[in-house]
Every structure is written in C-alpha cells, then in structure tokens.
Amino acid sequence: MSSESSVLQSSQLARLASSLNLCPAFSIQPVYGAQHPPLDPRLTKNFIKERSKVNSVPLKNKKASSFHEFARNTSDAWDIGDDEEEDFSSPPFQTLNSKVALATAAQVLENHSKLRVKPERSQSTTSDVPASYKVIKSSSDAQLSRNSSDTRLRDPLHKQQSLPLRPIIPLVARISDQNASGAPPMTVREKTRLEKFRQLLSSHNTDLDELRKWSWPGVPREVRPVTWRLLSGYLPANTERRKLTLQRKREEYFGFIEQYYDSRNEEHHQDTYRQIHIDIPRTNPLIPLFQQPLVQEIFERILFIWAIRHPASGYVQGINDLVTPFFVVFLSEYVGKQHYHHAECAVTFLSAICLFVFPKEDVENFDVTNLSQDMLRSIEADSFWCMSKLLDGIQDNYTFAQPGIQKKVKALEELVSRIDEQVHSHFRRYEVEYLQFAFRWMNNLLMRELPLRCTIRLWDTYQSEPEGFSHFHLYVCAAFLIKWRKEILDEEDFQVRGRRSEALAC
C-alpha cells in the first residue's frame, strides 16, 4: 500500500465518519442542556474571585485563558438545583452594567420558576401519546433504559426541559433507520437522495457506478433491499431481466434444498450440521428476531447449503453472523406493510402523518410467522445468494488455516505502524499481538463490535467499494484504533481488558 493510497483512504474514511455514527462497546449517556444554566451564588462568588485574579495578569494572557476559566467555573452548574435562595449581594462584575446583570438574572429565575409549576402538564402530555407511538425494546436495551431512568429521577428539571418526546432508539438493535419508528419526517436532503435512488433504480439500465457513488454515504431504508441486490451482483442492471432472474435464482436455491438438505443426517456431514446447529442460537442472542425457531431453521438451511457447495472451506464459525444483515434488510421489505397501505393512496401531507402516527413495526421483535410462505422463501433465497456473493470475495478467510485473515491482520499492523507510530509502539511495548484482537474483526467483519444497525449502514459503503469487504475493511479497522487511541495509550493491562471484552461479547 502506498502513502498516496493511505491518504486517499483516509479522506474516504472522513466521509464515512460524517454519515455513520459508530458506537464503542461501552455505552455513552447523552447530556441534555437547558436554554439558561441555573444561577448559583457559589459560582458567582467564585467567578468574581477568579476574575479579580485574572485582572492582575497582562491582557493577552487573560484573553487566552478566559474560556478555560469559564469552563472550569461552570463545569458543575448543571448539577446544581435552582431551588436554593439566590444571593445578589455580591458586587457586580466590573465589565457589566449592574442593572442589566440583575435584570437578566431575574428573568432567568422567573423562567425556571414557571417550569417548576408545570410538572402535571408535562405528565399529562406524556400520557396522551398513543400506545403505538412507543417503541418496544428488546432485552439489549435494559441497561440503557435503567441509566436513562436514573438520570431523570436525579434531575426533574431535565425531564421538563428535555428534547421533544420521541421514541427511544435502542442501543443494540434498532434495525430500522431513524426515519422510521416515529422520528421526524425526512429532510429535504433525504427526500432528494431518495428520489435520486428511485430514478437510478427505475431506469432501463441502472448505472451501477452512479449507484455506488450515491450509496457510499448510505442507502435510504426504502430502497436498500433492491440496492443491495444490485450492488452484490445478484440482480442484473437491466430492469426487464430482474423479475425473471429473481424467479430463476430462488427456484435454483430451493432445488439445492431438495437435493442436499436431507444429507445433513449422513455421517460425513453430521459434524458440519452439528456445528451450525450449535452456532445459530448464539447469533445475536439479545435480538428476539433471531431466537425464533422458524428464523433459526432458515439460517440452518442457508449455512448448510453454502457449506455443501463450498467444500474447500466448508462451514467456519463466524459465517453465521454474515447472514444476519442480508436477512434483516430483505425482511424489512415486508414488515409493517399493513401500516402503509392507506398512506400510499393519500396525499403527501397525509402520508407523512400516517408514517408518524403508525410507525413501522420494530423488526427486531417481528414475528415472522405473520408472513406468507412465499415471502419467507424469497427472503431466505435472496439472503443465501447475497451472502454467497460476499463470501466469494473473502473465501480465503475461511479455508484451512485461514490465510486470508492472517494476511489482513499483518496488513493492518503495517498500516497502523505508518499512520500512528505511537499506538503501534504502545502495542509492542506491552507485547500485544494484532492477531489477539484483530482476528475476530476480520473473521466476523466487526459484527461483534458494532450494533446491527451500524453494521447495515457500514455495509452500504462496503458494497459501494470494489473490494469493500476485504481491502477497505482494513482501513475501517485502522480507523477504530485511531479513534480510541487515547484509551489505548492509557491502557497498560491489556490481558484484563481482553478478558472483559470477551465476556461482554459472549
């Protein structure tokens, strides 16, 4: 890899970062501000003392440190209640008009006092929200919900001054994008992008290069299934051939089922099937969708047929994770269609209202038994073929001794040594081998490190790159290390950290 290639990929990663919010393994709690911070006499006195000290230093130094002093003296302002008796007996600031300062302070106190007498109204507003507007969360959100509840109990003012009421987006598996599930209507930019995608997809011969360019920053949820089929090479660019191609490939897949699936009980295939059968329940165990028996049967068939048709590698642990994004994306075509039946026939304004009041059903909790047999067969066959297309480009990751992963980990080490020598030296100082943490990154394509919704968004970009799942994936892994370089450089006991990460992943 040349230095020019590294610079080019770095600029591409910057674009990716602007459209993809990647979350680390730990939870980050949001902080909601208020229009005016509470005015507290202790802070006022401290600020005056500090200001008298600052006046004794030259003007240049005062200007340079003013922001840091302000931040230091107001860092805990949000934790102080506003029900304490205010003291304005202290002398006014030297650079402010005393009347203006007192008038402003009085207005702030009046605003807070008005908010304090409105809790009943706030509660009634919450109770008026329709039941369908609230999002059912999976068990993966339990910790997030407890933390949010504790925060609201500790600070009632934040509950009254928080952002407008909207459904909670789960941390782990809000699979449908934020434009669904009751979020605000699409922005003008989002509508423009969606219209551009529809134009590309409906043209007689879709321009795949143009489609990749528009897909790189993310694919709109409404057109993601057909876009992924095209980008993976499963569907032809010619619109007239797509229907026949889908019909033929789906029939071909179920022909494989009839031909090979019964052989899972034969002695020479029992070990493969047994390992698949063990791994399926471990696939995203916190998401109810993947714990449904019917879904697990679909996954077993997909993985077993793929293993039989690829004897050079067979089934390897980790491949089971690679089915899930395709399955979820193709399932999303059928989930919640009953909510949109009437909205599609209405005018644009009424359609937006229907979308807001009747949110798209949560995919992670969707019961697949509600779908027809034909729908389930289409989802299963499309997931198989698209996963097969993906694995065709990285199959050496799963052949004997997994040489593809070995090469990619070595390439990641060389890349990091060039772009951040300090992090690389820190790993060497504490005898941390890249294979210890990066093997799973390559084997599972970061699916154990990212929420599924982030993985789906990331795969929009991967499928837009010529070698996204192999070459570009290295730069994403390197970006992870650079993103959290401070935490890495502060860490000294990597063995303990590694055991904790493995426990959380399990």
Side-chain angles (χ1 to χ4, degrees):
M1 302 177 188
S2 63
S3 59
E4 294 181 358
S5 176
S6 300
V7 172
L8 176 60
Q9 294 291 352
S10 299
S11 64
Q12 290 180 323
L13 285 172
R15 290 168 49 206
L16 177 62
S18 66
S19 60
L20 173 64
N21 293 323
L22 299 179
C23 306
F26 46 84
S27 161
I28 299 178
Q29 296 297 324
V31 178
Y32 297 115
Q35 184 178 4
H36 303 287
L39 183 61
D40 185 78
R42 290 172 290 177
L43 295 177
T44 304
K45 292 175 182 178
N46 292 337
F47 189 83
I48 294 173
K49 291 178 181 178
E50 291 292 330
R51 188 167 183 87
S52 62
K53 295 178 181 179
V54 172
N55 288 337
S56 62
V57 300
L59 181 60
K60 183 177 180 180
N61 292 337
K62 180 177 70 174
K63 289 183 178 179
S65 60
S66 59
F67 174 79
H68 298 288
E69 291 173 359
F70 172 77
R72 182 171 61 252
N73 286 283
T74 59
S75 60
D76 60 344
W78 305 102
D79 298 327
I80 298 176
D82 61 305
D83 55 343
E84 300 177 2
E85 183 178 356
E86 307 295 347
D87 181 12
F88 296 101
S89 59
S90 302
F93 297 128
Q94 297 179 11
T95 58
L96 292 178
N97 185 292
S98 60
K99 294 182 179 180
V100 175
L102 290 175
T104 303
Q107 183 63 41
V108 171
L109 291 175
E110 182 180 353
N111 291 342
H112 285 304
S113 64
K114 289 180 180 179
L115 289 170
R116 290 175 62 82
V117 298
K118 294 182 181 178
E120 296 181 358
R121 181 178 179 183
S122 176
Q123 294 173 2
S124 64
T125 303
T126 305
S127 63
D128 292 338
V129 178
S132 61
Y133 184 72
K134 299 178 181 178
V135 176
I136 299 174
K137 298 182 292 181
S138 67
S139 58
S140 62
D141 308 313
Q143 185 62 40
L144 179 64
S145 301
R146 286 197 295 270
N147 293 341
S148 301
S149 307
D150 296 342
T151 303
R152 288 195 296 269
L153 290 173
R154 288 196 301 268
D155 197 347
L157 178 60
H158 287 174
K159 181 178 180 180
Q160 298 158 13
Q161 288 188 300
S162 61
L163 299 175
L165 183 64
R166 60 187 296 173
I168 298 173
I169 303 297
L171 177 64
V172 172
R174 164 57 61 210
I175 298 171
S176 54
D177 292 342
Q178 294 185 17
N179 286 336
S181 305
M186 289 188 294
T187 63
V188 174
R189 178 180 178 276
E190 290 169 338
K191 290 180 180 178
T192 302
R193 281 178 50 79
L194 179 58
E195 182 60 30
K196 178 63 177 180
F197 270 91
R198 284 175 172 162
Q199 290 177 3
L200 285 170
L201 297 172
S202 62
S203 60
H204 181 69
N205 283 293
T206 300
D207 187 341
L208 294 181
D209 290 335
E210 189 72 7
L211 184 62
R212 291 188 186 96
K213 185 183 76 173
W214 281 85
S215 300
W216 207 98
V219 180
R221 171 183 50 82
E222 294 84 351
V223 295
R224 181 174 279 137
V226 64
T227 301
W228 276 27
R229 292 187 186 104
L230 285 165
L231 293 179
S232 65
Y234 174 44
L235 272 188
N238 186 283
T239 55
E240 296 178 355
R241 296 173 50 208
R242 291 177 191 172
K243 185 175 181 180
L244 290 176
T245 299
L246 282 177
Q247 181 180 352
R248 177 175 56 84
K249 298 298 285 185
R250 289 167 180 172
E251 290 176 355
E252 184 179 356
Y253 168 72
F254 284 101
F256 295 151
I257 296 292
E258 294 179 5
Q259 182 177 357
Y260 298 117
Y261 195 58
D262 287 341
S263 66
R264 68 188 185 279
N265 298 318
E266 297 177 3
E267 185 177 356
H268 58 288
H269 289 153
Q270 282 184 352
D271 290 342
T272 297
Y273 180 74
R274 185 184 301 112
Q275 188 61 58
I276 292 173
H277 189 73
I278 292 172
D279 289 346
I280 292 300
R282 301 173 181 173
T283 305
N284 292 296
L286 298 179
I287 301 179
L289 171 68
F290 300 114
Q291 302 310 307
Q292 298 178 39
L294 186 55
V295 173
Q296 294 184 356
E297 290 173 9
I298 290 173
F299 276 43
E300 284 184 359
R301 288 195 293 268
I302 290 174
L303 294 171
F304 183 77
I305 296 302
W306 187 89
I308 293 298
R309 298 189 71 246
H310 296 82
S313 61
Y315 172 75
V316 177
Q317 287 180 300
I319 296 179
N320 55 305
D321 288 327
L322 306 184
V323 186
T324 55
F326 293 114
F327 182 85
V328 166
V329 168
F330 299 141
L331 174 65
S332 67
E333 283 187 296
Y334 304 101
V335 174
K337 276 196 170 181
Q338 62 272 24
H339 297 312
Y340 294 101
H341 177 70
H342 298 294
E344 290 174 352
C345 302
V347 295
T348 304
F349 178 72
L350 291 179
S351 296
I353 293 178
C354 289
L355 178 60
F356 187 82
V357 177
F358 301 105
K360 187 171 184 179
E361 189 164 353
D362 191 2
V363 181
E364 68 182 18
N365 295 295
F366 182 74
D367 185 357
V368 296
T369 59
N370 294 327
L371 298 179
S372 68
Q373 187 66 23
D374 288 342
M375 291 178 179
L376 289 172
R377 287 169 64 91
S378 298
I379 295 169
E380 179 176 348
D382 292 355
S383 299
F384 169 81
W385 287 115
C386 288
M387 185 199 72
S388 298
K389 293 288 186 180
L390 184 160
L391 289 171
D392 285 347
I394 57 173
Q395 189 172 354
D396 60 344
N397 284 8
Y398 306 104
T399 54
F400 178 73
Q402 299 181 273
I405 291 181
Q406 304 277 354
K407 293 176 183 177
K408 290 179 177 67
V409 171
K410 185 62 176 177
L412 176 64
E413 182 177 358
E414 294 176 358
L415 180 62
V416 174
S417 68
R418 292 203 307 270
I419 62 179
D420 198 325
E421 175 63 27
Q422 191 175 3
V423 169
H424 179 68
S425 299
H426 190 71
F427 284 146
R428 297 187 64 181
R429 182 181 305 115
Y430 290 98
E431 299 180 347
V432 176
E433 297 292 336
Y434 281 75
L435 197 63
Q436 292 176 298
F437 61 84
F439 178 87
R440 192 172 73 178
W441 294 6
M442 307 302 171
N443 191 65
N444 302 83
L445 297 179
L446 290 173
M447 289 196 61
R448 299 289 178 89
E449 281 67 36
L450 295 175
L452 184 53
R453 61 185 172 85
C454 290
T455 298
I456 291 174
R457 166 58 194 92
L458 185 61
W459 283 23
D460 289 343
T461 301
Y462 279 6
Q463 295 192 88
S464 304
E465 287 282 329
E467 298 179 348
F469 292 97
S470 55
H471 183 74
F472 187 76
H473 179 67
L474 292 177
Y475 290 87
V476 175
C477 294
F480 265 63
L481 295 174
I482 306 307
K483 170 68 176 178
W484 289 290
R485 69 185 307 275
K486 181 180 183 299
E487 290 79 1
I488 292 173
L489 295 175
D490 290 341
E491 185 63 52
E492 296 181 358
D493 193 346
F494 286 94
Q495 296 299 328
V496 173
R497 176 74 64 177
R499 287 194 292 269
R500 289 176 181 172
S501 300
E502 291 175 1
L504 289 173
C506 296

